[in-house]
Amino acid sequence: MLADLLGIPPQLLFGQLLLGLISGAFYAVLSLGLAVIFGMLNIVNFAHGALYMLGAFASYFLLKILGINYWGALILAPIIVGAAGIVIERFLLRRLAGVDHLYGLLLTFGLALVIEGLFVKFFGASGLPYPTPEALKGGVNLGFMFVPWYRAWVVVAAVIVCVFTWWLFERTKVGAYLRAGTENPTLLQAFGVNVPLLTTLAYGYGVALAGLAGVLAAPITQVAPLMGSNLIITVFAVVVIGGMGSIMGAAVTGLAMGMIEGLTKVFWPEASATVIFVIMAIVLVIRPAGLFGRTA
Amino acid sequence: MTNRNILIVLALAALMVAPFVVYPIFLMKILCFALFAAAFNLILGYGGLLSFGHAAYFGGAAYICGHALKVWGLPTELGILVGGLAAGAFGAVVGLLAIRRQGIYFAMITLALAQMAFFFFISADFTGGENGLQGVPRGYALGLFDLSNNITLYYFVLAICLGGFLIVVRAVHSPFGQVLRALRDNEDRAISLGYDVERVKLLAFVLSATLSGIAGATKTVVFQLASLTDVNWHMSGEVVLMTLLGGVGTLLGPVLGAGVVVALQNTLASGPLSAWVPVIMGTIFVICVLAFRRGIVGEINALIKRSF
């Protein structure tokens, strides 16, 4: 076997590959949300990491205060985060229409500081535990490696979300409007479509995806105020690598980058934190628009 | 003398007397951040390029200068220069990559590469990890003046920061600065006029990174410490805030913004609101972006223009 030839025990190789796939699942769902928001609003949502954290905290409180379990949180937390996003878009981002898009980045950066700062103030920087749902405890032994059910579920869920979003954008009427809005919002408005509403919904959906990623992450990483703070920068690099042109591009790049990161952990552990940034630099040299991006 | 010259002389006099009135370390902190923000404003305010990774040059130079002074035993001014040049070299690499994309992508690329630098400094042996690089010797200025004296150090830092600021002023008012503004306002037209836009952008970026490095290295000498805070992406955000609050694209704005932010942080950190600092900074950020995009100096300029 290849793994044996390279002197790497298969358990280690496949174990890291699975971990890489898990991070890739989070990169995919988060960069998908960023791509959706970028398409309609032309801004990079710096608050994405903070809203991902909000999703995790929402599921924690749903369980602790209302006794709503993981599966309920999987539905409710994205709705809560999406609603928060709609408020942010409607009352803050909307005011920046017509000014340089960089201000959108700065505004969401400020929001990220506020949201994360508030949670650190009230809950401290350390994590709160969130239990793995009963149905997904344990795992399956595949002979060459052990796969915990919950981790397998995260990957499956991420793929479902990506495929659903792709279907929503490429195969439905709303999706057609959204794509048209990305191309030419003025013309779309002239056809009688409510573009401001569409923009609000796009932002809400994008951050709801971040919230969903937060729920998925809660049993794995613990619920911590700064859980999204460094993650989001890696996701930015993923977005630059993939280019923001396509939904599927964001998803595929996310999963691939996670796997590459996992492999790097096996072969060159010291480089695993920086490998995605190095790939970003290489992609920028070879194909500045990103792997799936269209040249402007 | 014109009014402007009188103001400059008064400002210089105030700067000379200041360390006898206000705590010198606090003043030096403001000076270092003022140079950092002025250097950052060179590319944001005059080049229209938002770098979200300037902490890498500030903090990177802080570490390299600290190492040069502590381990290599270089003279203080040479150590600061080495830090600045190293930051400029890294800025050249980042700039080459980042100017391939514009707007939001430019911001994300600079941020991502700065994060890479952050991970490097976290894991490198010489940085001392979470503890930072401590006990950096201040040494002697030009081999003569003992910098362990805070007042002496103040004049040394003032000379460096004023020098850096003058370079920024000179660059802005030079033909190079004119081209930089031209491509900020209309890149296509600048290209059609035959300007090598990429070269101008890169040059501005390297100059900005070098001066940010000088600021960071000087900060290391003042506090005798280089730490992960200097190189973290929050620092990149902080310099954006200082520039935005003071006034993007004005010469004095970033200097004023740096003064306000540092003073605010120092006041809050010792009071009952210390846990709220990130929230307060974030709120100021949001207010600036929503309602106050011209910044303090920009608003004052607009007011003067309206009144006369």
Side-chain angles (χ1 to χ4, degrees), chain B residues 112-133:
Chain B
L113 291 172
Q115 187 73 354
M116 192 167 118
F118 174 74
F119 283 125
F120 168 76
F121 285 116
I122 250 188
S123 57
D125 291 326
F126 74 94
T127 60
E130 300 280 341
N131 298 325
L133 192 61

Side-chain angles (χ1 to χ4, degrees), chain B residues 74-100:
Chain B
L74 288 188
T76 310
E77 47 282 323
L78 213 56
I80 292 174
L81 193 65
V82 166
L85 291 179
F90 184 56
V93 176
V94 174
L96 269 176
L97 290 168
I99 57 172
R100 299 174 75 88

Side-chain angles (χ1 to χ4, degrees), chain A residues 42 44 233 244 284-285 288, chain B residues 100-101 104-105 112 115 233 276:
Chain A
N42 265 312
V44 173
I233 300 177
M244 296 226 242
L284 280 170
V285 172
Chain B
R100 299 174 75 88
R101 301 301 304 270
I104 284 160
Y105 279 97
Q115 187 73 354
W233 62 269
W276 290 92

Side-chain angles (χ1 to χ4, degrees), chain A residues 31-56:
Chain A
S31 58
L32 198 61
L34 282 178
V36 169
I37 293 170
F38 182 79
M40 274 312 281
L41 286 89
N42 265 312
I43 66 153
V44 173
N45 187 30
F46 218 119
H48 221 62
L51 292 161
Y52 157 81
M53 173 273 287
L54 206 60

